[in-house]
Amino acid sequence: MESRDTAKRSPEEANGGPSESLNASNGEPALKRIKLDNQPRPRVKGVAPIKEEYLIVSNGQALNPSAEGEALDDDVAEGRTAPDTQEAEQGAGQGGKRKKQKGQNKEREFGTFSDAQRLCNSVAWTPEFSPRPCKHGDRCNALHDIRKYLKEGRRPDLSTFGGKCPVWEKYGRCPSGWRCLFVRSHMDEVKHDDGRSELVLVGDASKQSPEEDGEAGEVRPGVVNMVPAAVKIDLSRRRVKLEKSDQYLEWLAKDTELYREHYHKQKNDVDDSKDYRAQYVEPPFKPSEKRRVYFGRETPVLAPLTTQGNLPFRRLCVELGAQLTYSEMALGLPLLQGQKADWTLMRAHEIEVTPPRFNPCGPVIQGYDNSKDLKFGAQIAANVPWIAIKATEALSRFLPHLRLIDLNCGCPVDMVYKSGAGSALLDAPSKLERMVRGMNTVSGEVPVTVKIRMGVKDDRFTAHKLVERLALGSEDMRGVVGAPGCAAVTLHGRTRQQRYTKAADWGYIAECAALIKQYNEKSDELADTIREAEENTLPSSGRMYFIGNGDCYSHVDYFDHLDNAKVDSVMIGRGALVKPWIFEEIEKGQYLDKSASERLTYIEKFVRYGMEAWGSDELGLNYTRRFLLEFLSFFNRYVPVGLLEYLPPNLNDRPPAYRGRNDLETLLASKNYKDWIKISEMFLGPAPPGFKFQPKHKSNSYDIEAEG
């Protein structure tokens, strides 16, 4: 299906090579202009076609990136990192030498970033003379003296943002209280009649909205899906009863055993092929009627991205035109154990619970109500049905703002795959079907969707079989139990083995899209007439949407995939990390040559949103710094449209060394993480002495000097 030269490359061409440093080894620039004749230069696959006047070389190095350099490992955007078990198993290479590590930095440390002396929570949000009772009493080893804390317990207030707290300026209150590193902009010293002076926090009632329920410091303005600490504690102590899941799992165990006996009878040629249908027992309850969802031409989707797909980044993308978003992938078992980190991933901003763009004249399913739709969905990973089913019930119960629940069946990361979750489910279709059926049964009105890859191995694609199963059910069971109720399938056009070493296969995505269309047309014919009255319990009136994913980096790519692959919408991952305004380009239908100052404005917005989400104290600011640097590790790859000789740009092209149109543009293109830290310091002040950072995907410029 893909006919452009930029869409098909060999692994070596797609990988490119190491980007040139803009600095010589001695720290002094050693730049030399490339002299070319007036003949147009041919486009080289895998190399960004930068105009001649911007090309540079350092110390006589070659113009093109080296094909022998290691590729960036972009799987880091799809799953959590852990020690690379695959490399550990490989052990030593030939001659007893250990092979060079490639790909992700698995064991990263970010140092410690906390106050020199901790301030007790009993005084963190209260006036100086009116602290709350300290639950630790005399045993508490934290500071209770606010003046001492401000003087000795933390670093001085920051001067960025004019010394004013961005959170307080916008909302009239600051959840970080006395720990805020801009606290002097929202504190006062009040003199009492008895002559005493009291330090107090001040608020601006004209900007404040009604307080949400929650502990002081936990409530974040504009953030929804804040699960109370009491719920997480109850989950951790197994005090939360998930009755629907318990009943369904009890039935599922009996039904699975019954089907297993039936399957073995068929294999042994025993004439009992109808025995399962005769003994089949209905589940204890049917799925609830689902909220209708919509995927269309005007709804580009932001992919679920681990680490990089955090709340501030999603918020930025929605402002730039993203219509549908997903949480970072959460693991099902930690959710059931009430672990704070995984429940925090479920938080969304209020901009994500507004309805997506919608064309009422388009192919809309019956019963769709755009006013009740929203943008934010949750993605989970699980390796066994009971975890997926129970996690789904917990999410639908405790998260009031949820568009859908997506089951990750594509994550290629070893930690996830070897546990039996993620892309391991591609080779376990029966288990996957049981998961989806169970999730659909207990999810209430929330639809269930699935994200898959083409297969596990490059020589064995399985997605076309999976989409049939997810649309209609397994061939020998669909007549008994009907369709699984999957509302949508997203197909990433790569295998697990392939990772990102080749272009996404949109030809295969198109084949699967054609199959989905046939299955949707065929579903009514295959439906059991006895169950016809219950058809409304299926999501989207029985229609399954199909979304394509892979290498979308411009509005040209987006509309090409819609028109030629015939998908309902396109999910964008790395393209949005490199160029968040891709959604704006899609909406306007044109390339946007963003200036360096505009791009710096997006970085500033991310910082502001980070402080709102994580806090303006020492901990929150350095969480923001860390996630900003993760963002910049992709953001630096953008080559401005005005510097390119040929369009469309290609996501997998790697630029030769080049100079931007100004110093800021050159700085934003730096591959050196030390320069990224400098950019963060423009807004977050100096990094604390113990702060460390290295990107997840390895760069070839770790140890070179940062730009001066």
Side-chain angles (χ1 to χ4, degrees), residues 230-374:
V231 171
K232 289 177 273 192
I233 291 172
D234 286 343
L235 283 166
S236 67
R237 297 177 180 176
R238 299 184 182 179
R239 292 198 295 236
V240 175
K241 300 296 182 185
L242 302 171
E243 294 88 356
K244 279 189 174 182
S245 296
D246 290 335
Q247 294 178 48
Y248 185 85
L249 288 167
E250 183 179 351
W251 169 85
L252 181 62
K254 295 178 181 177
D255 184 71
T256 302
E257 183 59 33
L258 177 64
Y259 180 75
R260 186 178 292 113
E261 293 176 1
H262 163 69
Y263 176 77
H264 286 303
K265 285 179 181 178
Q266 283 187 315
K267 284 187 67 175
N268 296 327
D269 295 325
V270 177
D271 189 17
D272 280 324
S273 59
K274 297 181 181 180
D275 188 51
Y276 174 71
R277 180 187 288 269
Q279 298 184 53
Y280 176 75
V281 177
E282 296 280 352
F285 44 84
K286 296 289 194 291
S288 302
E289 184 172 355
K290 305 299 177 186
R291 184 193 309 113
R292 304 302 193 243
V293 294
Y294 172 73
F295 293 88
R297 189 178 186 86
E298 64 278 8
T299 60
V301 185
L302 176 64
L305 301 164
T306 296
T307 303
Q308 284 88 354
N310 48 62
L311 187 151
F313 178 75
R314 298 198 311 268
R315 182 178 172 185
L316 177 64
C317 287
V318 171
E319 286 191 357
L320 290 170
Q323 296 301 304
L324 303 172
T325 64
Y326 290 82
S327 72
E328 301 174 55
M329 182 187 75
L331 300 180
L333 187 57
L335 286 172
L336 295 175
Q337 294 170 337
Q339 292 190 17
K340 181 179 179 180
D342 286 80
W343 280 102
T344 299
L345 300 180
M346 298 297 113
R347 295 179 182 179
H349 190 263
E350 57 191 8
I351 195 174
E352 295 181 274
V353 298
T354 56
R357 200 159 46 229
F358 165 63
N359 179 13
C361 300
V364 183
I365 59 170
Q366 185 177 4
Y368 175 70
D369 185 350
N370 182 252
S371 65
K372 294 182 180 179
D373 200 0
L374 62 155

Side-chain angles (χ1 to χ4, degrees), residues 458-492:
D458 286 350
D459 59 352
R460 188 165 62 89
F461 295 172
T462 58
H464 59 286
K465 296 180 180 178
L466 282 177
V467 294
E468 177 181 5
R469 194 156 193 156
L470 292 168
L472 305 173
S474 60
E475 190 171 355
D476 55 346
M477 289 182 64
R478 64 182 61 146
V480 181
V481 295
C486 184
V489 170
T490 301
L491 174 58
H492 183 172

Side-chain angles (χ1 to χ4, degrees), residues 119-183:
L119 183 67
C120 182
N121 283 346
S122 65
V123 298
W125 300 278
T126 65
E128 183 180 9
F129 298 157
S130 306
R132 298 184 302 174
C134 178
K135 62 181 181 181
H136 299 293
D138 295 337
R139 296 178 292 107
C140 184
N141 57 8
L143 283 178
H144 293 77
D145 186 334
I146 293 174
R147 293 178 187 269
K148 183 177 180 182
Y149 170 74
L150 294 177
K151 185 177 180 181
E152 304 174 7
R154 49 156 234 167
R155 59 173 163 158
D157 270 22
L158 298 179
S159 59
T160 56
F161 298 104
K164 296 181 179 180
C165 174
V167 182
W168 191 92
E169 286 281 296
K170 183 172 183 179
Y171 296 101
R173 61 188 176 91
C174 177
S176 297
W178 293 110
R179 297 188 180 108
C180 176
L181 285 172
F182 303 89
V183 70

Side-chain angles (χ1 to χ4, degrees), residues 82-90 106 414-415 418:
D84 196 331
T85 51
Q86 185 174 2
E87 288 187 15
E89 288 174 0
Q90 289 174 348
K106 307 295 184 175
D414 284 340
M415 181 188 76
K418 292 190 175 184

